[in-house]
Amino acid sequence: MEYYHEPVLLAEVLQHLHCTNGSTVIDCTLGGAGHAEAILDLIKPEGYLLGIDADDAALDAARVRLARFSQQIFSLVKGNFRDLDRILTGAGLHAVDGVLFDLGVSSVQFDRAERGFSYRFDAPLDMRMDQTEDLTAAEIVNTYGEAELSRIIKEYGEERWAHRIASLIVKARRKRPIGTTFELVDIIKDAIPAPARRKGGHPAKRTFQAIRIAVNDELSILEHSFRDAVRWLRPQGRLVVISYHSLEDKVAKSVINDLATVCLCPPDLPVCSCGLKPQLRVVTRKAIRPEPKEMADNPRAESARLRAAEKL
Ligand SMILES: C[S@@+](CC[C@H](N)C(=O)[O-])C[C@H]1O[C@@H](n2cnc3c(N)ncnc32)[C@H](O)[C@@H]1O
C-alpha cells in the first residue's frame, strides 16, 4: 500500500483496550487506520468504531484500509480530538467501551514530501496536520522571537543546541525568509558542532519534532482531551494512550494517576473525610515499551510508551 502506517504496540493496544464483538471504540488518532483495522476485526459484526483525525490525507488512507468492513460498523470524522465531546455527541453516542490515543504524526504524513513534516525531503515549511488551520512552520520559524524559538526547540525537541539553533534561525531570516525544509536543515546543521552532529540520529530530527508540536499545539490540548475521554467511558471501559515524547507521557501519567487517586486526606487521619471517589483504576503501573524486535523493525516505535486505565 502506498502510504502504509505500521501500527505501534498493536498487540498491547488490543490487549489493553479489552474490546470484543459489540464494543464501541473511539480511535482519536485514526492515522492510516492500522489500529482501527485490527480493532474492527475484534468488534465486528455488532461493534462500532468512530475514527477521528485532523488530517484529510490520513482519513483518505484510512478509508482505503477499512474498505473491506461494512459501513454500518464504523464512521470516520474529520476533527480534532480536543473537541471530543462535540464529536461524540454529534455522532449520537452516549457512552463508549474504549478510547485510543496514538499521539503524534503518522507515516502517511511523513512520507508525503509536500507536507513539510520531514527533514528527508525538500518542501515548503508547512507541518500542519489540518491544512485548513492558519499557523504553519514557516510562520513560526520566520516570526517567533529568538527566546520563544529557543524554548520551543529545547522543550518540545529536547535539543541541547536549541539556543544556537534559534540564534542562527534569526540571523538567517534577517537576510531572507526561511522557506523550505532543506533551508532549515542547513541552518540546524550549521548550529550543531560537528562531533555532536554525528551522534543521536539526524541532526534536524529534534528541531523538526519541536516545530511540529508547536504548529499543531499538540501538548496543551492533551490534559482536557484525556479527561473528556474518561468521562465518556462506561464502567470497565478502557483508556489507552501511546505517547512518543516524555512531555506527552507525563500528561497521560498525571491525568491517569489523578483520576485514580483514592483519598486526599492527610495520612494521619484515621477515617477518610475527603469523600474523593476515584474514577479510574491504573492498569499499567509502569508505561509499556515495545519489545526490542518491534523497535528494530519499526524505528517509529523506539520512543513509544503505552499507558492504560480502566473506568470504575
Ligand atoms: C501516530 S498517528 C496514528 C496512527 C494510527 N494509530 C495507525 O495505526 O495508523 C497519529 C494521527 O493522529 C492525528 N492527530 C494527531 N493529533 C490530533 C488531534 N489533536 N486531533 C485529531 N487527530 C490528530 C495525526 O493527524 C495522525 O494521523
Side-chain angles (χ1 to χ4, degrees):
M1 195 186 288
E2 197 187 353
Y3 293 114
Y4 184 80
H5 176 92
E6 188 66 39
V8 171
L9 287 164
L10 178 59
E12 294 81 355
V13 165
L14 299 179
Q15 180 197 341
H16 290 293
L17 267 179
H18 261 192
C19 43
T20 54
N21 179 16
S23 300
T24 300
V25 177
I26 311 303
D27 185 345
C28 291
T29 48
L30 181 70
H35 290 113
E37 182 182 30
I39 292 167
L40 276 166
D41 271 323
L42 288 176
I43 65 175
K44 69 182 185 189
E46 281 157 30
Y48 175 74
L49 176 129
L50 179 75
I52 303 168
D53 207 292
D55 187 329
D56 286 307
L59 289 160
D60 288 345
R63 256 177 227 114
V64 173
R65 193 152 175 179
L66 302 182
R68 69 182 169 92
F69 295 101
S70 147
Q71 304 248 337
Q72 313 279 319
I73 63 164
F74 74 93
S75 310
L76 307 185
V77 174
K78 176 169 179 175
N80 192 305
F81 63 64
R82 69 178 172 223
D83 303 318
L84 198 63
D85 280 349
R86 191 175 51 72
I87 295 170
L88 300 199
T89 307
L93 293 168
H94 300 290
V96 305
D97 301 295
V99 183
L100 171 65
F101 291 87
D102 177 21
L103 300 170
V105 274
S106 73
S107 319
V108 179
Q109 291 156 327
F110 271 127
D111 294 346
R112 291 205 173 169
E114 73 277 10
R115 301 295 300 274
F117 282 107
S118 174
Y119 45 79
R120 290 181 290 129
F121 310 115
D122 198 14
L125 274 172
D126 188 323
M127 301 197 197
R128 288 170 299 171
M129 288 181 192
D130 179 351
Q131 293 186 295
T132 63
E133 294 281 346
D134 293 330
L135 184 64
T136 63
E139 184 163 345
I140 290 184
V141 163
N142 288 298
T143 66
Y144 282 21
E146 185 175 328
E148 180 62 354
L149 280 173
S150 174
R151 181 195 68 81
I152 287 171
I153 298 169
K154 186 165 184 51
E155 219 174 289
Y156 302 164
E158 299 173 292
E159 170 63 68
R160 183 174 162 213
W161 303 101
H163 182 66
R164 279 173 62 103
I165 294 168
S167 158
L168 283 205
I169 286 175
V170 169
K171 204 163 143 199
R173 77 189 190 195
R174 272 194 210 117
K175 290 186 207 138
R176 62 187 169 88
I178 303 159
T180 67
T181 47
F182 276 9
E183 285 169 34
L184 182 58
V185 168
D186 286 343
I187 295 168
I188 296 166
K189 282 185 177 162
D190 285 347
I192 302 179
R197 236 169 25 222
R198 286 192 280 273
K199 289 186 282 191
H202 193 287
K205 186 175 166 187
R206 291 173 295 279
T207 302
F208 269 59
Q209 168 185 285
I211 294 172
R212 187 206 85 214
I213 289 175
V215 168
N216 298 290
D217 191 18
E218 290 177 39
L219 287 169
S220 73
I221 61 172
L222 290 183
E223 171 161 1
H224 90 257
S225 303
F226 294 157
R227 287 181 187 271
D228 288 350
V230 170
R231 251 185 287 109
W232 279 87
L233 287 174
R234 291 195 179 96
Q236 270 92 59
R238 292 285 183 107
L239 169 73
V240 174
V241 180
I242 306 177
S243 23
Y244 297 87
H245 189 292
S246 61
L247 294 175
E248 290 170 346
D249 184 54
K250 210 166 139 190
V251 180
K253 182 178 173 186
S254 103
V255 170
I256 289 175
N257 285 347
D258 185 40
L259 295 177
T261 302
V262 177
C263 173
L264 285 176
C265 293
D268 53 348
L269 212 69
V271 184
C272 166
S273 70
C274 71
L276 190 73
K277 276 214 169 124
Q279 296 177 50
L280 288 178
R281 177 177 75 79
V282 180
V283 175
T284 50
R285 281 270 151 227
K286 274 181 68 178
I288 294 175
R289 307 289 321 276
E291 296 292 333
K293 177 165 186 335
E294 179 172 3
M295 294 197 217
D297 292 349
N298 180 6
R300 266 191 56 75
E302 251 174 72
S303 56
R305 286 178 169 73
L306 180 149
R307 293 188 186 270
E310 185 173 271
K311 183 83 177 266
L312 293 173

